[in-house]
Amino acid sequence: MGPSVTANREHQGIEKLRLRPGDAELTLPQILGISLFKDLSPRAHSRLRGKGGQGAVVLRRYQAGEVICRQGAPGWTAFYLIEIDDLLRLRESQHTAALAADRKLSQSLPETLAMSMEERLQRADAIEAHTGAGADTVALLRASASRPFPTELTALREERALLRDEERIERLLAHSHPELLLLDPAAKRRHADMLPVEAGELAGRLRLLADCAASREKVAVFRELKSTTPVGLLARLTARLSRPRLDHRSEDREGSAARRSERGPSLPASRIATLYEGELFGEMSCIYRTPRSATVRALRDCYALEFLSLVLDILLTSEHFRAYMDSVYRNRMLSQHLRAIPFLANAPSVVIDVLRQNAQLITKQPGELLFEQGDPSDCLFIVRTGRLKLFHRASGRLIAHRARGEAVGDLGLLTARPRDASCAAYQPPAVEHRTPGRELPALRCEVVRIDRELLDQACQGAPLFREELARLRQENSGVQAANNVSSAQNTSRIEDLDLLQGRNLMLIDLTRCTWCGDCVSACTEVSSDGKPHLSLQGPRFGRYLIPTTCRVCADPVCLIGCPVGAIHQGSTGQIVIEDWCIGCGLCAAQCPYGAIEQRGSAQLRAEVCDQCASQPSGPQCVSSCRHEAAIRVDAKDFFPHIRVM
Amino acid sequence: MRIDRRHRPWLAGTLIAAGLAAVLGAAAARADVGSPGSTWPGLLLGGVAAALILFSSMLGLRRKLLRVPLGTMPGWLRAHIWLATLSLVCGLCHGGLRLGGFLTSALTLVLVVCVGSGMVGALLQHVLPGALSQGGSTDSIREPLRTIALLRRRAYELVWAACGSPPEVGGADARSPALFDEPPHPPPKDAMLPSGTLLGQQQLGQFYRGAVLPFLHDRGETSANLGAAADATLAFDALTAALDPQLHPALQRLSELCEQVRQARRQLLLQSLLHGWLLLHVPLAMALLVLLALHMLTVLRY
């Protein structure tokens, strides 16, 4: 799929979704008619109605096998698999609007009635691009081009009836016999015939599913589009991780990554999951500006809403949407986050289920404290969105950041020692250029709180795990105290310099460096503007110089709050600043290491080291060093790790 | 660059190849056909030496073609060092350890000096980075020239704060680029001592003008030798006794700044040593290539 986003410089860098043939830009009443957008406040309505909302929500049609988003691509947008009822209502309204538009066009531009849908869209684009006027004509042409095809509405009505039965049964079977859902209709029938009499209910369900699939084959719209998928809901997609992730944290950060749907026929050993109508995906990538962590492909013809981060921000102001997101998080992601905590990695699923269902979901405003140094360790926190900052209370010295999926205080639950650091929601520095009135979701920190009592309660149903936990508590209470003393002495400089943030931290070994400057020259040579993104000045750590350049932070705070969404992470984690950067300086102000610079004479623009992502030999600063003095390392492997109770 | 265990295979290979070259050289010297270089073993050695010299001279070219996947730069540098050394052995064996005519004498001499200067350079680059890393700040690192410029400003601001007024700098304007690359910032009011109220403020100003400023700006005329650590300690100790105790922290800080400048200058010296040998090595390498071409043309012609 080609790029679906364009930068609209006229609107101060606000992006606009590009229409493809078969797509339809939604009007405000149409958007508000979709169940996802219900309960929005009047203020949200006005924001959607404003310039920022124009072209920000598009209904796209995908054919079977089509890639909706690709792993590694920038995550500018989020997707919503629209429910059949909403879709039917929407297509009916678009049908009515198209008929009305045709009537008006027959008077003003009668020649357009003979055009295909694609040609009408091209004509609308041409009018908009050349004259900038004729907004009514453009709207009419677009409305006329976004009509359902002739048999679509009838087909959708038939499909809705089928889906209700099929969905109900599939969801029942997904829990009891998920493997049966993978069978084709004929195999389902054969399996049903072989089942014993006492399993008559299951056999009946299988036969009904097979009948539904066969009925669908008769539905004109899908036969016309050559749908090859034997079973499936209208909006069924696969999310496939086409290549293994090098860093599982980035995988965890993406909400839609490796979703093993608990409702569908996902294969436990594979990295494929199925998404259903009414599900949202790509939202975490959109919020965090991280690359897509999965490729999503349409299993069969379907419709999906694609919308910009601006719309996601608006949705997050709705209680209804937040509740939906909460339930999605509990069902999809929380168990993964819990399993990432070392002592819960092998916990029985009954323990994880109790924790998942009963954990508190808490929202903290920027700067708000979670706990103070010296407080009793009575709970642990998992970061759901946003970032946490750990620091020493007395000195205010930063110890570490914790990002999505990472836990704080897990060690404290084992040792029962007081907290050895304070923890607060991350507060970015004050900047002048933030878009007024726009609440940025990433600034708010959402955490999951798990109390010691809840953990004990969860262990009630798993006596073996309870014993294991008791043993771990006993072991850790003595050992960890000793470790902390040495750790505090040995790593204070690492903490001061915040080295653990660096996933591709550049170090210069001063016992090897001859100050030849080859690294800076090589950087200059590959730099787009002929200026280096590397300065051989910076703090010193033992025999290493930490030069001023991008460290590829584990939790890149520079990504937070870009008003035009120009900064994001590339496929290998590198920071990328797109050419529609408006030079507001927010990212440069937020980078704690001075690695982002504002450059340019006429038009300022942020510049950052992109780790020579386009170079096959990797960062040229390293490959150009004859003396093996310049290295890039993952700080967590290179320096001792710090854990905070 | 450090001559570490990664050089062992190269050392072993070079020793073996040098042994073979010596055997071939001996065979060439024994042959009774006039010049050893014109025998088959001699010609082989000469060809190998020429090829090694040409390859060694391509290190500079490789630096320009970083994006071409032709091996790593450290690998090229190791090859450059050891193959150039081997080229010297082959070249000497090629001529049967004899200088011959003017052109071959010049070629041999240039080859010896060029390889010798390279060895000295390799040795310097093995030893000096460690020495460089010993000095300087333990907290942060800047280029020495920038460090010195920064320290100059700091010293001026320090004396300004201690004396309560900007120190006179011999009629020159403190904003002049000749003195400071960036104009010094006035100290904060709460950090500034009142002018003329403390014993020794005048002496401190005089000391700055007479000793510290010339030292920091590397001028000849100075009232105290602050370039030597021992002399500087004596000079600062002598002044401490004459100053009000409130001025002692400023004087102490000034002494530290002078020490940092000494370290930065030492780093500059070491850096110039690290790269200075190239001023000899690179022109000699160019001359070597020219002489080698002439030698080959002469041999082919006659």
Side-chain angles (χ1 to χ4, degrees), chain B residues 91-260:
Chain B
L92 291 176
C93 291
H94 164 67
L97 298 178
R98 277 179 277 174
L99 291 176
F102 174 75
L103 183 61
T104 51
S105 299
L107 180 61
T108 310
L109 190 67
V110 170
L111 178 63
V112 169
V113 179
C114 185
V115 173
S117 66
M119 285 177 172
V120 170
L123 191 69
L124 287 174
Q125 293 196 341
H126 176 77
V127 175
L128 288 185
L132 256 172
S133 67
Q134 298 298 318
S137 165
T138 54
D139 295 333
S140 60
I141 290 181
R142 284 190 176 83
E143 289 165 29
L145 283 174
R146 284 197 194 184
T147 304
I148 293 171
L150 180 73
L151 293 175
R152 281 176 188 157
R153 280 205 313 275
R154 292 252 172 92
Y156 184 89
E157 289 161 5
L158 188 73
V159 176
W160 186 346
C163 297
S165 59
E168 296 291 329
V169 284
D173 188 352
R175 288 168 297 179
S176 160
L179 280 178
F180 303 106
D181 51 353
E182 284 177 34
H185 298 295
K189 282 186 180 171
D190 55 345
M192 199 174 333
L193 296 171
S195 177
T197 57
L198 296 174
L199 179 66
Q201 278 180 321
Q202 203 175 355
Q203 284 102 314
L204 180 62
Q206 282 171 356
F207 181 72
Y208 174 75
R209 279 191 300 276
V212 178
L213 191 72
F215 166 68
L216 293 180
H217 290 267
D218 217 7
R219 290 181 187 162
E221 66 285 3
T222 170
S223 61
N225 179 20
L226 299 185
D231 292 349
T233 308
L234 285 175
F236 277 101
D237 286 350
L239 187 62
T240 308
L243 297 187
D244 188 281
Q246 284 192 53
L247 294 175
H248 288 181
L251 195 64
Q252 176 64 29
R253 180 76 189 118
L254 201 58
S255 165
E256 288 166 6
L257 290 181
C258 290
E259 172 59 25
Q260 287 174 27

Side-chain angles (χ1 to χ4, degrees), chain A residues 493 510-515 518 522 525-526 537-540 545 615 620 623-628, chain B residues 1-2 4 6 63 66-67 73-74 77-78 125 129 132-133 135 137 139-142 146 271 274-275:
Chain A
R493 180 78 176 147
L510 293 171
T511 62
R512 287 177 173 273
C513 180
T514 65
W515 297 89
D518 278 359
E525 203 171 302
V526 293
Q537 299 191 47
R540 180 174 177 169
L545 161 69
Q615 305 294 329
Q620 297 293 291
S623 57
S624 68
C625 181
R626 286 172 287 167
H627 310 288
E628 295 173 303
Chain B
M1 183 208 59
R2 295 193 66 80
D4 53 17
R6 275 172 283 194
R63 285 173 61 192
L66 276 177
R67 298 183 214 183
M73 282 303 292
L77 186 59
R78 281 193 284 270
Q125 293 196 341
L132 256 172
S133 67
S137 165
D139 295 333
S140 60
I141 290 181
R142 284 190 176 83
R146 284 197 194 184
Q271 282 186 16
L274 262 174
H275 304 124

Side-chain angles (χ1 to χ4, degrees), chain A residues 153-345:
Chain A
L153 292 178
T154 318
L156 284 175
R157 288 187 194 108
E158 289 177 27
E159 175 73 1
R160 182 170 57 174
L162 281 174
L163 280 172
R164 289 295 158 253
D165 287 341
E166 194 180 41
E167 184 184 45
R168 182 176 54 80
I169 296 166
E170 277 201 344
R171 293 193 182 197
L172 283 171
L173 286 183
H175 285 293
S176 56
H177 301 86
E179 71 284 357
L180 296 181
L181 292 175
L182 297 174
L183 300 176
D184 61 36
K188 278 195 183 87
R189 280 205 186 85
R190 281 199 301 276
H191 192 85
D193 294 342
M194 284 159 47
L195 283 172
V197 181
E198 55 269 26
E201 191 181 6
L202 178 60
R205 283 174 182 169
L206 280 175
R207 286 195 190 96
L208 188 56
L209 273 185
D211 291 343
C212 285
S215 307
R216 180 177 292 109
E217 290 302 303
K218 294 173 191 162
V219 176
V221 52
F222 296 109
R223 195 168 60 240
E224 190 175 299
L225 291 173
K226 296 185 176 58
S227 170
T228 53
T229 310
V231 293
L233 303 182
L234 175 69
R236 174 177 287 184
L237 312 171
T238 57
R240 178 190 289 269
L241 284 172
S242 56
R243 57 190 162 94
R245 297 293 299 180
L246 296 175
D247 175 10
H248 80 281
R249 275 166 27 81
S250 60
E251 178 186 323
D252 288 345
R253 194 173 287 179
E254 170 61 69
S256 336
R259 276 179 188 159
R260 290 169 174 80
S261 170
E262 294 168 9
R263 301 187 291 169
S266 58
L267 298 171
S270 77
R271 293 167 75 79
I272 301 174
T274 310
L275 302 170
Y276 293 84
E277 64 166 327
E279 291 200 51
L280 191 70
F281 63 96
E283 75 284 3
M284 286 301 142
S285 186
C286 187
I287 290 173
Y288 287 100
R289 305 284 177 209
T290 49
R292 305 279 188 207
S293 62
T295 295
V296 180
R297 189 186 296 274
L299 257 184
R300 55 166 303 159
D301 310 306
C302 65
Y303 284 93
L305 282 186
E306 185 177 8
F307 48 87
L308 296 173
S309 58
L310 159 89
V311 180
L312 201 58
D313 294 349
I314 294 171
L315 280 171
L316 282 165
T317 61
S318 148
E319 287 299 324
H320 165 72
F321 184 74
R322 282 192 189 168
Y324 164 75
M325 291 291 280
D326 285 351
S327 71
V328 167
Y329 176 71
R330 277 187 201 274
N331 289 330
R332 285 183 193 159
M333 292 304 297
L334 186 52
S335 55
Q336 285 184 35
H337 289 170
L338 287 167
R339 293 276 184 204
I341 298 172
F343 70 83
L344 289 175

Side-chain angles (χ1 to χ4, degrees), chain A residues 435-449:
Chain A
T435 311
R438 183 175 170 194
E439 189 192 0
L440 296 164
L443 295 183
R444 198 182 52 237
C445 186
E446 292 174 314
V447 292
V448 181
R449 178 182 167 131

